[in-house]
């Protein structure tokens, strides 16, 4: 029976991942060794204390020397653990930097394609047109804000009067002087009625 949820995508393990895993395993082993030495040193200290009570000073001194040597081993182990952890952090941070660099590379490729689609000349043209539009709007805003000088106001009024005069000087079509024909009265209608009655009289005369 097949898997209902499909096959899981295999996770790709890189060399960096393997290196980090090995470093962490070595760190864990050193910590276990460090814990073991610490327990052993505690036991030896208690043994040295008991030997001193029993009057066996030489044996107690020998055990304390051994403990001192183990204490130095702990210091070296702690330094090694610190180095391993620092190396793990450096590798993990390097992986993050690689991802960032890959992202920057993709971004640069996109920018290059966009720059190829839009040349510098076109950008400058758009910027110039935008600047002109802004300046034009600024002039309109200043006019609406009432920032015209007295001279500007007089010039506007003079132009308005000139336009009004031009409209007044336009020639209108002449009115015809001849009188319109008068509407005929109803007499022609009576003549038609008399024409219709005439055949009737003729028939009666026969």
């Amino acid at each position: 029976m097949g898997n209902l949820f499909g096959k899981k995508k295999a996770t790709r393990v890189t060399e960096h991942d393997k290196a980090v895993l090995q470093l962490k395993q070595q760190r864990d082993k050193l910590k276990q060794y460090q814990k073991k030495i610490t327990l052993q040193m505690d036991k030896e200290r208690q043994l040295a204390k008991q030997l001193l009570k029993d009057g066996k000073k030489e044996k107690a001194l020998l055990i304390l020397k051994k403990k001192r040597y183990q204490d130095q081993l702990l210091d070296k182990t702690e330094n090694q653990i610190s180095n391993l952890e620092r190396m793990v952090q450096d590798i993990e941070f390097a992986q993050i930097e690689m991802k960032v660099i890959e992202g920057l590379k993709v971004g640069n490729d996109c920018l290059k394609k966009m720059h190829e689609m839009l040349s510098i000349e076109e950008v400058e043209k758009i910027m110039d047109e935008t600047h002109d539009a802004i300046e034009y709007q600024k002039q309109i805003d200043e006019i609406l804000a009432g920032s015209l000088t007295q001279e500007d106001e007089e010039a506007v009024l003079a132009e308005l009067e000139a336009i009004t005069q031009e409209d007044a000087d336009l020639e209108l079509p002449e009115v015809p002087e001849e009188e319109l024909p008068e509407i005929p009265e109803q007499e022609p209608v009576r003549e038609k009625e008399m024409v219709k009655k005439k055949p009737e009289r003729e028939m009666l005369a026969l």
Side-chain angles (χ1 to χ4, degrees):
M1 186 175 179
N3 189 357
L4 296 176
F5 299 98
K7 295 181 179 180
K8 293 183 178 179
K9 186 177 180 180
T11 304
R12 185 184 172 209
V13 180
T14 63
E15 295 297 328
H16 295 87
D17 296 332
K18 292 179 181 180
V20 170
L21 180 60
Q22 291 177 359
L23 290 172
K24 288 182 178 181
Q25 289 175 347
Q26 293 175 5
R27 179 200 62 189
D28 294 339
K29 289 180 180 180
L30 286 173
K31 286 185 176 181
Q32 292 175 359
Y33 174 75
Q34 191 180 39
K35 185 177 180 181
K36 179 181 177 181
I37 293 297
T38 302
L39 292 173
Q40 187 175 351
M41 288 173 60
D42 291 339
K43 290 180 180 180
E44 290 177 350
R45 189 175 185 279
Q46 293 297 326
L47 180 58
K49 186 176 180 180
Q50 185 63 38
L51 289 172
L52 285 174
K53 288 182 179 180
D54 296 340
K56 300 177 181 180
K57 185 176 179 181
E58 296 294 330
K59 288 185 177 181
L61 184 60
L62 182 61
I63 290 175
L64 291 177
K65 287 181 178 180
K66 182 181 178 182
K67 179 180 174 295
R68 180 62 181 174
Y69 174 73
Q70 290 174 338
D71 195 12
Q72 293 176 353
L73 289 178
L74 282 179
D75 291 338
K76 293 180 180 179
T77 303
E78 186 65 30
N79 291 332
Q80 290 176 353
I81 291 174
S82 298
N83 292 333
L84 289 173
E85 289 179 344
R86 190 180 300 110
M87 189 172 294
V88 168
Q89 292 176 355
D90 290 342
I91 293 175
E92 290 177 343
F93 185 73
Q95 288 178 315
I96 295 174
E97 285 184 329
M98 288 180 62
K99 291 181 181 179
V100 172
I101 292 173
E102 289 176 358
L104 292 174
K105 183 179 179 182
V106 173
N108 288 332
D109 293 338
C110 293
L111 287 174
K112 288 180 181 178
K113 291 180 181 179
M114 293 175 66
H115 292 162
E116 290 175 357
M117 295 174 60
L118 194 63
S119 64
I120 296 178
E121 290 78 9
E122 291 175 339
V123 174
E124 291 178 349
K125 181 180 178 182
I126 293 173
M127 294 300 294
D128 291 339
E129 292 176 352
T130 303
H131 181 267
D132 294 340
I134 293 173
E135 290 296 327
Y136 181 73
Q137 184 62 40
K138 185 177 178 181
Q139 293 176 4
I140 293 176
D141 293 340
E142 290 177 353
I143 292 173
L144 295 178
S147 60
L148 292 178
T149 61
Q150 184 65 29
E151 184 179 356
D152 293 331
E153 294 287 350
E154 292 176 357
V156 171
L157 292 175
E159 185 175 2
L160 179 63
E161 185 178 355
I163 294 173
T164 305
Q165 187 64 33
E166 289 177 0
D167 293 337
D169 292 340
L170 292 176
E171 294 183 359
L172 296 176
E174 296 180 357
V175 179
E177 296 180 357
E178 298 180 357
E179 297 183 358
L180 296 176
E182 296 181 357
I183 300 175
E185 298 180 357
Q186 297 296 329
E187 293 182 357
V189 177
R190 295 179 181 178
E191 291 179 356
K192 289 181 180 180
E193 292 179 356
M194 294 178 62
V195 172
K196 290 181 180 179
K197 294 179 178 181
K198 186 176 181 181
E200 294 180 357
R201 293 177 179 176
E202 291 179 352
M203 289 178 66
L204 292 173
L206 293 174

